[in-house]
Amino acid sequence: MLENFSFRTIIEYLPLFGQGLITTVWLSALSFAGALAVGIVLAAMNLQRGRLFRIAAKAYIDAVRATPLLAQLYFLYFGLPRLGLVLPELVVGIIALSLNSGAYVAEIIRAGILSIPRGQVEAGVASGMTYVQRMRLVILPQAFKVTIPPLLGQAIVLVKDSALLSLISVSELTRAGQLLASDRFMPAEGFITIAAFYLLLYYGLKGLAALSSRWLGLQPARSST
Amino acid sequence: MTNATKTGMIDFRGVNKWFGSLNVLKDITLSVEPREVVVVCGPSGSGKSTLIRCINGLEAIKDGDLVVDGQRLGDPATNMTQLRTEIGFVFQSFNLYPHKTALENVTLAPIHVRKIPRAEAEQAGRDLLAKVGLADKINAYPSQLSGGQQQRVAIARCLGMRPKIMLFDEPTSALDPEMISEVLDVMVAVAEEGMTMMVVTHEMGFARKVAQRVVFMDAGAIVESGTPEEFFSAPKTDRSRAFLSKILRH
Amino acid sequence: MIWQQLQSLAGSYPLALRGLGMTVMLSAISLVLGTLLGFGLGILRTGGNRLISAVIGAWVDLIRGTPFLVQIFLIFFILPEFGIELDAFTAGIIALTNLAACFICEIVAAGIRSVPTGQVEAALASGLSRWQRMRQVVLPQAMRIVLPPLVGQYVLLIKDSSVVSAIGLTDLTRVGWLVVQRVPNGLLVFFLVGVGYFIVCYPLIMLARRLERRMGAAHGEVQL
């Protein structure tokens, strides 16, 4: 049983957990920015007339969605050095998360653009706008609105996924729990504490998603993720 | 199941109901005899739908007594599921099961609730659909039927349970005008077979033809009650006169 | 050199098959158990008992709010402290089943809530019992909403099963990790691992997309 549960040890390790939490937050933030960039490029490729772009984007998205993040992470971790790219684990991790999440972000953006009623496009055409003008003035401002809640949902997934970076020895939150578990043989203290920290991040982002839905005047986000 | 004949088939005695602070049914006392057809009318929000939804327990009453077929609603001894099998309910929006064919809609409850053998239930279902004029639509899904046809299937679905009472909640108000009469014809036929019926409707032609009584409701209360002739030719209150002038104008 | 590596890789194919088998078995068992449990929880979640619904909701939130890796560690390292000895395989099944059940619970609950109240009222009015209403009227209609995300969830589950390699189960990902120690070509090894997952997951992704289109079309047709 957990009668020996030691809050004292948790407090002793609190600086380590704090550091891990901060690392998780900023590496997730960086990866999310990367994912947005990747997602926008992919979504733009998907909307091109040229077939090659569309096929390439679709193939990339399907490949990412049909394989686990952990395998993708190992692919880069063990594979990049082979290409002469020896990068710190942290950087490899951020690249993996960006490339992985980017595929999902691309789908969210695409769904957002497709959610705009045809009548909007037709109204744009009728008033003599070019393709770029229609996109910029009519479609994207509306699509942007509906993508915010699912993007925050994807951010939640990304934060949780970042735990896998502990398996390539990145000193983030989960790694801090593993250290406490292995140094002091206190897995309960280690893993329950980090679970609590992750829940903190989860409820924060979830609250933000709910708020954003309300601000944007959307229906409360349907249970996605 | 005690002496149902002593009281009416449906007996409201001082029934009240609130939605929050809104008194949607005010002190309702009303008795419907076996084989009687009662039409309930009144402006929207007058509580007429709530009134008949109480009878099969889709709405719970707050106080007073409501006795249906000798069983008191809200009494622990009353088996509501059992009682509902005796009461057919026709909805304004039909509420046919979209994943079932017309015949399956009619036979679902007989097979699963009444435990009638499938073949027998299907034969009865075909006969009922023929009776409402839909012999050729037995295997159609609701989405393939017009509103009038859907509502006739819904009536057949109720009749399939051989109910003692039929309740109709504005059965024609969701229909296009040209489909109203095909539904009313079926309802007249049901009434002429001696069914006990309560019908919320503004179809005054139907009321004149088969109703023994018209009940006029306003703001949750029964304002006036009488034979169709009395009600239409000599309404007693200002409110019923105002209401009649509105619905008879078109 | 690449030739030697390919030969060496070809030699590890029994191990790779075993890994793939483990991934498929883990996923299949937890998929079946998780679906059963998830439907049960989803029905209870919408069943009208506030307390039960709140407890399930809180549990689902806990599971959705924490990384799966942390859940596996919690189950594998902490349950033994309660006197429950687990091997890695059982721990993996428990973790995956629980994860699947929580996500499926929410999918099923959303499907049930999407069925119009008039349908339940019609079923009530014809005297169908609680279970009959669920079985005959509500669930068949909810399935239209439930099915596409359910299949999508299965894909996530199969991918999440890779995380159990962290507690030493020799699944497909773990096999890649073992092989790459001997054959130092991470690109090739994990490309092949990826192919293994792709073969299992991609048909399901296609199925989910097709269902989504079909259900969308069917839904439009039923609109009154």
Side-chain angles (χ1 to χ4, degrees):
Chain A
M1 295 297 265
L2 293 174
E3 60 267 355
N4 298 321
F5 194 84
S6 168
F7 284 103
R8 185 188 294 265
T9 316
I10 292 176
I11 290 170
E12 190 188 318
Y13 271 70
L14 216 46
L16 184 72
F17 285 123
Q19 262 172 15
L21 178 67
I22 291 167
T23 308
T24 287
V25 168
W26 72 254
L27 84 78
S28 298
L30 266 181
S31 306
F32 192 61
L36 283 178
V38 172
I40 289 170
V41 170
L42 285 171
M45 283 169 71
N46 235 330
L47 291 168
Q48 293 302 313
R49 297 259 164 74
R51 274 188 64 179
L52 209 63
F53 279 118
R54 265 183 308 164
I55 290 172
K58 272 185 84 119
Y60 177 85
I61 291 170
D62 281 348
V64 168
R65 291 185 49 160
T67 53
L69 171 61
L70 188 55
Q72 296 160 12
L73 184 65
Y74 284 154
F75 177 75
L76 294 174
Y77 179 67
F78 291 109
L80 286 181
R82 176 92 189 150
L83 299 176
L85 274 171
V86 182
L87 301 170
E89 287 92 351
L90 183 65
V91 178
V92 176
I94 291 174
I95 293 174
L97 284 175
S98 302
L99 291 176
N100 174 275
S101 253
Y104 294 91
V105 169
E107 296 276 89
I108 292 170
I109 295 175
R110 200 174 73 99
I113 291 173
L114 290 180
S115 75
I116 307 305
R118 266 211 73 73
Q120 294 292 314
V121 180
E122 285 164 2
V125 174
S127 53
M129 292 185 187
T130 65
Y131 174 80
V132 175
Q133 284 172 325
R134 288 199 308 269
M135 264 298 167
R136 196 167 63 81
L137 299 171
V138 181
I139 309 295
L140 289 182
Q142 298 185 61
F144 178 72
K145 226 169 98 163
V146 293
T147 54
I148 295 294
L151 280 179
L152 284 168
Q154 184 57 34
I156 291 175
V157 172
L158 197 154
V159 169
K160 290 191 292 169
D161 280 348
S162 74
L164 293 182
L165 302 201
S166 66
L167 298 177
I168 57 166
S169 325
V170 175
S171 314
E172 43 68 80
L173 188 51
T174 302
R175 189 77 186 153
Q178 287 169 1
L179 282 179
L180 180 48
S182 58
D183 288 3
R184 299 288 190 90
F185 306 107
M186 288 181 171
E189 285 81 351
F191 294 128
I192 289 176
T193 308
I194 59 170
F197 279 119
Y198 278 112
L199 283 174
L200 210 65
L201 295 176
Y202 170 70
Y203 282 114
L205 283 169
K206 203 179 155 185
L208 204 58
L211 274 180
S212 73
S213 300
R214 204 176 316 149
W215 285 335
L216 297 168
L218 299 169
Q219 295 290 318
R222 298 226 16 136
S223 41
S224 58
T225 68
Chain B
M1 298 286 252
T2 52
N3 45 8
T5 43
K6 233 181 195 174
T7 60
M9 193 67 149
I10 304 168
D11 246 325
F12 287 87
R13 292 184 210 125
V15 167
N16 273 286
K17 181 174 175 63
W18 283 267
F19 286 141
S21 60
L22 185 67
N23 196 184
V24 286
L25 290 182
K26 281 180 201 153
D27 225 5
I28 301 287
T29 296
L30 172 72
S31 183
V32 179
E33 300 302 317
R35 308 174 70 87
E36 192 181 10
V37 176
V38 175
V39 161
V40 184
C41 62
S44 66
S46 60
K48 52 196 193 305
S49 285
T50 309
L51 180 79
I52 67 163
R53 285 168 62 88
C54 286
I55 296 169
N56 73 343
L58 287 178
E59 307 279 353
I61 61 172
K62 178 72 185 166
D63 61 37
D65 277 333
L66 175 50
V67 180
V68 180
D69 191 22
Q71 301 181 65
R72 200 172 146 270
L73 268 65
D75 192 320
T78 298
N79 180 343
M80 207 55 225
T81 306
Q82 161 65 30
L83 181 57
R84 281 182 179 128
T85 63
E86 312 291 344
I87 307 170
F89 196 103
V90 176
F91 297 87
Q92 178 179 352
S93 52
F94 332 133
N95 293 349
L96 291 184
Y97 308 128
H99 59 300
K100 306 239 178 233
T101 63
L103 184 61
E104 288 167 346
N105 263 281
V106 176
T107 57
L108 179 73
I111 290 172
H112 291 279
V113 179
R114 288 262 195 254
K115 311 289 181 200
I116 294 172
R118 180 173 293 271
E120 198 179 310
E122 285 181 350
Q123 191 48 54
R126 276 193 206 96
D127 294 347
L128 278 169
L129 284 169
K131 193 169 146 190
V132 299
L134 294 170
D136 53 336
K137 299 289 184 188
I138 280 169
N139 295 316
Y141 283 91
S143 58
Q144 299 163 325
L145 299 173
S146 72
Q149 290 169 334
Q150 290 192 52
Q151 195 61 298
R152 283 186 280 154
V153 174
I155 294 171
R157 177 170 72 175
C158 293
L159 293 173
M161 293 295 280
R162 307 192 181 290
K164 294 183 178 165
I165 301 168
M166 289 271 284
L167 307 171
F168 294 79
D169 187 6
E170 306 204 30
T172 57
S173 55
L175 297 177
D176 292 335
E178 70 271 19
M179 293 171 183
I180 289 176
S181 65
E182 66 188 51
V183 172
L184 291 178
D185 289 347
V186 170
M187 290 167 61
V188 169
V190 174
E192 283 170 348
E193 286 175 11
M195 180 69 72
T196 308
M197 286 167 63
M198 270 184 92
V199 183
V200 174
T201 187
H202 293 166
E203 293 298 333
M204 293 306 143
F206 172 81
R208 279 180 194 280
K209 206 175 211 171
V210 293
Q212 277 86 49
R213 203 153 29 128
V214 175
V215 169
F216 173 72
M217 287 184 75
D218 191 25
I222 294 178
V223 176
E224 196 173 328
S225 162
T227 65
E229 287 71 32
E230 288 168 359
F231 181 71
F232 292 121
S233 51
K236 288 176 223 144
T237 63
D238 289 344
R239 280 187 281 180
S240 52
R241 269 191 291 276
F243 171 75
L244 278 175
S245 74
K246 239 180 251 169
I247 62 161
L248 293 179
R249 201 178 295 153
H250 42 242
Chain C
M1 191 171 109
I2 203 99
W3 180 240
Q4 280 174 344
Q5 283 182 353
L6 280 176
Q7 267 187 322
S8 169
L9 277 179
S12 348
Y13 97 94
L15 185 64
L17 272 187
R18 233 183 69 200
L20 186 62
M22 175 61 94
T23 290
V24 169
M25 194 155 75
L26 263 176
S27 309
I29 294 176
S30 7
L31 189 148
V32 170
L33 295 178
T35 303
L36 292 175
L37 195 58
F39 268 81
L41 288 175
I43 290 169
L44 284 176
R45 180 102 160 95
T46 51
N49 184 322
R50 287 249 179 103
L51 182 68
I52 291 176
S53 179
V55 169
I56 294 174
W59 180 251
V60 167
D61 242 12
L62 281 182
I63 296 308
R64 287 165 63 126
T66 48
F68 183 53
L69 180 63
V70 175
Q71 293 166 22
I72 288 188
F73 284 153
L74 279 168
I75 288 170
F76 190 57
F77 292 113
I78 295 185
L79 280 190
E81 297 202 27
F82 290 87
I84 306 169
E85 286 303 328
L86 293 174
D87 56 73
F89 185 75
T90 316
I93 294 279
I94 293 176
L96 276 170
T97 298
N98 175 49
L99 182 76
C102 285
F103 280 89
I104 291 171
C105 161
E106 291 301 278
I107 292 172
V108 170
I112 290 176
R113 289 192 194 106
S114 75
V115 176
T117 47
Q119 290 294 316
V120 181
E121 287 185 348
L124 264 175
S126 51
L128 293 174
S129 70
R130 208 182 131 91
W131 170 241
Q132 286 169 334
R133 291 198 298 271
M134 200 37 94
R135 169 80 189 71
Q136 299 290 338
V137 176
V138 176
L139 279 184
Q141 295 185 61
M143 281 319 279
R144 204 172 40 206
I145 306 289
V146 167
L147 219 45
L150 185 66
V151 176
Q153 195 56 50
Y154 290 161
V155 177
L156 291 182
L157 183 73
I158 294 167
K159 292 193 290 174
D160 279 333
S161 77
S162 67
V163 178
V164 298
S165 61
I167 51 171
L169 266 183
T170 314
D171 74 329
L172 194 50
T173 302
R174 179 82 182 165
V175 167
W177 193 87
L178 291 171
V179 170
V180 87
Q181 316 291 332
R182 279 192 291 113
V183 185
N185 188 341
L187 288 178
L188 186 59
V189 170
F190 279 98
F191 174 77
L192 292 174
V193 167
V195 169
Y197 281 104
F198 191 87
I199 290 170
V200 182
C201 291
Y202 193 63
L204 283 174
I205 291 180
M206 297 294 281
L207 178 65
R209 280 186 192 148
R210 255 188 61 187
L211 285 172
E212 213 163 317
R213 271 199 305 270
R214 261 234 335 252
M215 301 290 167
H219 197 63
E221 194 188 305
V222 174
Q223 291 293 317
L224 298 171

